[in-house]
Amino acid sequence: MLKTNVKSTDENIQYSLDNPFVNASGCYCRTKDKLNQLITSPYCSSVISKTCTPNHRIGNPEPRYHHDENMSINSMGLPNLGIDFYLAYFNTCENTQGLKIVSLGGMSLNDNMTMLGAIVDRSFKKLPDINAVEINLSCPNLVGHGQLGYNINNMNTYLIKLLNIIARKELETQEKCKLLIGLKLPPYFDMCQFEQIANVIKDQMNYGRRIDFLTCINSIGNGLVIDTDSESVVIKPKGGFGGIGGSIIKPTALANVRKFYELLGDKLFIIGCGGITNGEDAFQHLLAGASMLSIGTQLMKEGPDVFKRIGLELETIMKQKGYKNINEVIGKLKIIP
Ligand code: RRO
């Protein structure tokens, strides 16, 4: 009942996934132990790595993550074990069914070009490491680095240079790249921003550069959580500012999924991320237009069993409503005439 189909823009690559669930990058995916727990977790068909850099990074000082009932705040600062670790992990792990996604977040365009170039080369050599790449354009926590997803001109030039790596390889080999390529976007709040970003993406696609999916949304950047008792911020980096996740960001996440589904849903698929805590939230993300569902804060709170609970709750809602499969739900949100 929860099977979902995802495909590349030109339908060259297609996957039928047992269920739509994947962890949000950053949650349970930095170390081998945590990744193993996801890979073996029922109802988690696909797994994404922590956003990675060419080399190991320690990240920001602790405490750097905090959650309460309705929200989370983090300023992790990209702690990760370096791209080679994640490629090697996926190369040997046993999840053969779902998507194995590496999230890329180099400190510079050069970093990302080097990492993507290596991944694409490996993929053309048919090494089985991974089948998808998510390019993170939206980390809110790097001191001195703005979020690329908020700088439309830079984002456009950046994507041209990065995605040309794939286009060139395809030209050279006369073969299609077998990787799904996605962008992790920050939340947008203005109708003009949605249109501008959608136009940047359409332009890339019109010039033959691959973008197969969008992940909407990353945490809402630079929120501030204050503890009344201690009269203090709750995380150390950046004076307490950090990315906000959890239930309270669901309306923003749904709006981003919906808008990009309206603007680009005939060209690519969307991974809904933000505020999924139960089957009803999952159902709403599907209605808005998500084909896959990414769980972050709730995974941190509950551990990998969260996928089964939410999956079963989603199945119950779908049965009650008479739906036989997810495709009957995706994007079918009604508006009031
Ligand atoms: O590591 C982080 O601080 C982090 C990243 Br890369 C991201 O994309 N989103 C987020 O909330 N934290």
Side-chain angles (χ1 to χ4, degrees):
M1 172 177 243
L2 295 187
K3 268 195 188 307
T4 189
N5 297 315
V6 293
K7 54 183 189 323
S8 62
T9 313
D10 60 6
E11 309 202 0
N12 175 42
I13 319 159
Q14 304 210 19
Y15 293 94
S16 173
L17 307 172
D18 279 350
N19 61 68
F21 295 111
V22 58
N23 61 303
S25 175
C27 304
Y28 265 77
C29 57
R30 183 151 51 101
T31 61
K32 183 174 176 186
D33 169 50
K34 289 282 196 279
L35 283 160
N36 278 344
Q37 291 185 50
L38 288 181
I39 294 276
T40 52
S41 175
Y43 284 79
C44 174
S45 72
S46 302
V47 173
I48 183 165
S49 74
K50 170 66 185 165
T51 299
C52 65
T53 48
N55 299 309
H56 173 264
R57 260 179 74 88
I58 293 169
N60 290 338
E62 297 189 4
R64 56 192 184 181
Y65 176 83
H66 167 93
H67 63 231
D68 64 24
E69 210 183 319
N70 300 315
M71 50 78 66
S72 65
I73 182 166
N74 87 83
S75 184
M76 305 300 289
L78 247 171
N80 76 92
L81 299 179
I83 185 163
D84 291 345
F85 168 81
Y86 298 104
L87 291 179
Y89 177 81
F90 283 125
N91 203 346
T92 54
C93 81
E94 291 188 353
N95 174 14
T96 48
Q97 195 272 328
L99 296 186
K100 296 189 281 185
I101 314 170
V102 158
S103 168
L104 293 187
M107 292 293 124
S108 63
L109 172 60
N110 249 352
D111 275 2
N112 275 341
M113 287 176 74
T114 308
M115 290 191 289
L116 186 63
I119 290 174
V120 169
D121 280 350
R122 289 173 75 98
S123 151
F124 273 85
K125 286 183 192 143
K126 315 248 179 307
L127 287 169
D129 320 331
I130 55 168
N131 42 24
V133 176
E134 185 178 273
I135 301 165
N136 188 348
L137 302 177
S138 48
C139 176
N141 299 328
L142 297 170
V143 179
H145 291 255
Q147 283 164 272
L148 196 60
Y150 287 141
N151 186 331
I152 294 190
N153 287 338
N154 285 0
M155 175 174 157
N156 195 36
T157 330
Y158 196 95
L159 287 177
I160 292 174
K161 292 194 174 149
L162 198 54
L163 299 177
N164 269 352
I165 291 176
I166 303 170
R168 268 200 301 270
K169 190 81 184 176
E170 287 183 336
L171 248 179
E172 187 187 306
T173 56
Q174 291 297 304
E175 254 184 69
K176 287 282 179 195
C177 176
K178 294 277 186 293
L179 296 163
L180 293 173
I181 306 293
L183 307 179
K184 178 129 182 200
L185 297 177
Y188 297 101
F189 303 95
D190 187 315
M191 284 300 168
C192 289
Q193 287 177 312
F194 289 116
E195 306 262 348
Q196 286 169 334
I197 294 295
N199 286 338
V200 166
I201 291 168
K202 271 188 217 159
D203 256 19
Q204 301 291 332
M205 294 168 98
N206 287 341
Y207 280 99
R209 292 182 207 106
R210 283 275 297 283
I211 300 174
D212 304 308
F213 68 92
L214 300 178
T215 304
C216 304
I217 54 175
N218 209 321
S219 57
I220 299 185
N222 297 302
L224 186 65
V225 174
I226 297 176
D227 177 64
T228 313
D229 287 345
S230 60
E231 304 175 14
S232 168
V233 299
V234 296
I235 56 170
K236 179 169 175 177
K238 285 170 69 182
F241 287 76
I244 306 293
S247 302
I248 61 169
I249 76 164
K250 188 178 74 172
T252 300
L254 288 175
N256 277 258
V257 170
R258 183 65 189 169
K259 214 21 150 186
F260 283 113
Y261 181 80
E262 285 174 2
L263 294 168
L264 298 167
D266 57 337
K267 297 182 168 49
L268 45 69
F269 71 92
I270 296 174
I271 304 183
C273 182
I276 301 179
T277 64
N278 57 35
E280 190 177 349
D281 299 328
F283 185 74
Q284 292 175 0
H285 266 265
L286 294 174
L287 278 180
S291 298
M292 289 181 69
L293 303 170
S294 166
I295 302 183
T297 299
Q298 198 60 32
L299 169 60
M300 296 297 285
K301 285 185 182 172
E302 215 174 308
D305 288 347
V306 71
F307 294 104
K308 185 168 180 193
R309 176 181 64 76
I310 294 181
L312 292 173
E313 288 171 5
L314 176 60
E315 280 178 344
T316 304
I317 293 170
M318 286 174 57
K319 274 182 205 148
Q320 278 165 356
K321 286 176 167 285
Y323 289 110
K324 296 209 167 43
N325 65 62
I326 273 184
N327 284 331
E328 295 172 358
V329 184
I330 294 172
K332 299 293 162 34
L333 181 68
K334 295 175 193 150
I335 55 167
I336 301 168

